Amino acid sequence: MSMRIKGLLAAGIVAAAGGAAFASTEEAWQEFRDRTEAACLALLPEGAAADISVDPFGSESYGIALLHVSEGPEAGAVMVCVMDKQGGAAELSGAFTPSVRLAPQAAD
């Protein structure tokens, strides 16, 4: 491989790493959390209100939030919201009502 190609590859790797470092600044993460919160709250049915807990970093591909519905027909329920980090499209789950609980697993 020629020195010129090696130099170009090295420059590309450095540029990519610099972009990754920039994306992980506190300001960038706060912008991500704000976008996730806004996208998820916008999906609530009309007349509904919720307290929202946004996972600070989400998963590799998605922003994730829990919405604790306080007003509206689903009051008392919890909903899960996911937002695609690349495109920004968000989806909201159905309501998990207070009567729905995960049963503990029996010890073997």
Side-chain angles (χ1 to χ4, degrees):
M1 193 180 294
S2 75
M3 289 302 287
R4 178 180 163 91
I5 292 174
K6 286 181 184 178
L8 290 173
L9 285 173
I13 291 169
V14 169
F22 175 76
S24 62
T25 66
E26 180 53 36
E27 293 80 17
W29 284 119
Q30 187 58 51
E31 180 182 329
F32 157 74
R33 289 187 286 270
D34 293 344
R35 280 186 344 169
T36 301
E37 181 175 334
C40 292
L41 289 174
L43 295 174
L44 285 171
E46 188 172 328
D51 294 319
I52 186 168
S53 300
V54 176
D55 182 311
F57 307 104
S59 70
E60 185 174 331
S61 302
Y62 298 97
I64 303 167
L66 290 176
L67 289 88
H68 304 269
V69 183
S70 58
E71 294 179 24
E74 302 293 347
V78 173
M79 301 173 112
V80 177
C81 179
V82 293
M83 181 194 75
D84 182 277
K85 285 183 175 180
Q86 291 291 325
E91 293 184 15
L92 191 61
S93 76
F96 291 84
T97 61
S99 63
V100 175
R101 299 279 183 236
L102 295 176
Q105 295 293 321
D108 291 330

